[in-house]
Amino acid sequence: MRRTSFEPMGCPVAGTLELVGEWWSLLIMRDALDGFSRFDEFERNLGIAPTMLTRRLRTLVEAGLLERRQYSAAPPRYEYVATAKGRDLGPVIVALYAWGRKHVDAGEPSVVMIDQDTDEEILPVMVDRNSGRPLADLNTAFLAGAGADEDMRERLDPDLRAARRQRSRIT
């Protein structure tokens, strides 16, 4: 069954989910960014059915996140390597890791992130590039950009947002 496309929503979050919103896609990209590139490696690491892996890899290649490269002619074998666009997904995966460490991973962690130069554990946070302040400490909001249609402008209208937030505090 084909799911509904998020593309018409005109939102960067929805557009990203259009490309990588299926959980296998993020796990494949996690492994690709960690240096795994061969079909059998993905299959073994993820325990994913070969037909599903084939579909997901094809989708990621079509989206420009992975590049399919032949590494053996006889028999023909291919590897899947993250493109620049795919590597730009790295901070998103790190953000999911950080959230999972904080809210999902109970007890001793099974995975930690380290600085390979110092062997020190890294506890990632997202920060504003301009101020260096953690995003969690800022009072943020999404606003309609120059390319927003009328529906998006209404959805992100600051006055309507304030009314919605006030309403949610009352109930």
Side-chain angles (χ1 to χ4, degrees):
M1 182 170 155
R2 179 82 173 120
R3 67 168 172 72
T4 301
S5 174
F6 295 142
E7 193 172 346
M9 289 185 181
C11 166
V13 174
T16 300
L17 289 173
E18 182 71 24
L19 297 180
V20 296
E22 197 274 332
W23 62 71
W24 288 122
S25 296
L26 283 172
L27 293 173
I28 290 166
M29 289 306 302
R30 174 203 64 190
D31 281 4
L33 292 169
D34 198 30
F36 296 101
S37 63
R38 298 193 173 165
F39 190 94
D40 62 321
E41 293 173 329
F42 293 123
E43 186 179 25
R44 182 182 62 248
N45 288 353
L46 302 173
I48 185 174
T51 54
M52 176 62 76
L53 179 56
T54 298
R55 282 195 302 269
R56 293 288 94 217
L57 288 169
R58 184 181 314 116
T59 299
L60 292 167
V61 168
E62 289 170 359
L65 297 167
L66 292 176
E67 179 184 347
R68 184 177 185 238
R69 297 180 186 164
Q70 187 170 4
Y71 69 88
S72 172
R77 298 270 189 245
Y78 297 88
E79 64 181 353
Y80 299 85
V81 179
T83 62
K85 183 177 179 179
R87 289 187 300 275
D88 282 348
L89 193 59
V92 174
I93 292 171
V94 169
L96 287 170
Y97 160 82
W99 189 89
R101 278 291 308 271
K102 182 175 181 178
H103 297 288
V104 177
D105 208 4
E108 292 298 316
S110 59
V111 176
V112 294
M113 176 179 276
I114 65 160
D115 177 332
Q116 293 187 78
D117 293 331
T118 65
D119 286 335
E120 296 289 322
E121 184 176 357
I122 296 170
L123 301 171
V125 295
M126 293 182 69
V127 299
D128 171 51
R129 179 182 299 214
N130 294 324
S131 70
R133 293 170 47 206
L135 292 185
D137 295 348
L138 299 175
N139 184 15
T140 63
F142 291 109
L143 296 176
D149 64 17
E150 199 52 43
D151 288 338
M152 184 64 70
R153 290 183 188 291
E154 182 178 336
R155 188 171 87 73
L156 297 177
D157 180 274
D159 295 330
L160 296 175
R161 177 186 296 113
R164 284 192 307 271
R165 288 184 176 176
Q166 181 64 34
R167 183 182 67 225
S168 68
R169 283 188 211 116
I170 293 171
T171 57

